[in-house]
Amino acid sequence: MARIKIDLPEKFGFSTTIPIRIQDVNYGGHVGNDAILSIMHEARMQFIQQAGYKELDHQAGTGLIMADVAVAYKGEGFHGDIFTVAVAAGEYSPFGFELFYHLTTQRNGQTITIATAKTGMVCFDYNARKVMKLPTEMKAAMEGLG
């Protein structure tokens, strides 16, 4: 069976903590895959805000839309855990970039990797409903979080 392999960057210049709520836990007794995506979404929003933007903000002349996602699950998360989600941007193209995520938690004095992931982000004009070029100032702001 082929497995997704995500090559994380060496450096993450941004991280946030997100507590696991009871509604994040599925019937298997651990954090569900849908909750992992929601946690990544929250971390992405915080990362983009730290860079001075919003996904739907047109101050740079473009919004952002997620084109794809890949998640590699590495460990279980449970109610009461506090996830640290590190986020970094990279693999820039003329129309977008990749965001990389490293989700961990501390348990019994150890750091446990819960998941690694990446999302493909594309610059998008929501009014015209079309792809746009990545503004140089937006790229520079995300690189500054390095």
Side-chain angles (χ1 to χ4, degrees):
M1 174 173 92
R3 300 288 314 252
I4 291 173
K5 184 173 185 322
I6 299 169
D7 294 321
L8 296 178
E10 289 184 23
K11 183 180 175 194
F12 285 85
F14 174 85
S15 69
T16 187
T17 56
I18 300 176
I20 300 307
R21 307 160 306 164
I22 193 64
Q23 62 257 38
D24 297 325
V25 176
N26 66 15
Y27 58 88
H30 54 229
V31 176
N33 58 359
D34 58 330
I36 295 290
L37 288 174
S38 292
I39 290 164
M40 289 169 51
H41 179 74
E42 177 61 34
R44 180 175 69 248
M45 297 296 290
Q46 291 183 29
F47 173 82
I48 292 167
Q49 286 176 352
Q50 186 72 28
Y53 297 93
K54 296 179 183 175
E55 283 188 333
L56 297 177
D57 189 357
H58 297 283
Q59 83 182 34
T62 184
L64 294 171
I65 193 167
M66 186 170 59
D68 54 46
V69 62
V71 181
Y73 299 99
K74 304 291 186 178
E76 292 181 291
F78 302 101
H79 178 250
D81 282 348
I82 298 175
F83 283 6
T84 298
V85 185
V87 182
E91 297 186 23
Y92 295 94
S93 77
F95 298 97
F97 51 91
E98 300 281 340
L99 285 179
F100 297 90
Y101 308 80
H102 188 208
L103 290 77
T104 61
T105 193
Q106 296 289 320
R107 197 177 307 127
N108 301 323
Q110 294 184 324
T111 300
I112 299 165
T113 296
I114 303 299
T116 58
K118 71 177 187 171
T119 53
M121 304 303 295
V122 175
C123 295
F124 192 74
D125 182 332
Y126 280 89
N127 292 324
R129 311 307 287 181
K130 67 176 190 168
V131 172
M132 299 185 66
K133 289 212 175 231
L134 172 63
T136 55
E137 63 273 10
M138 181 184 279
K139 179 182 176 190
M142 287 186 291
E143 288 176 325
L145 295 176

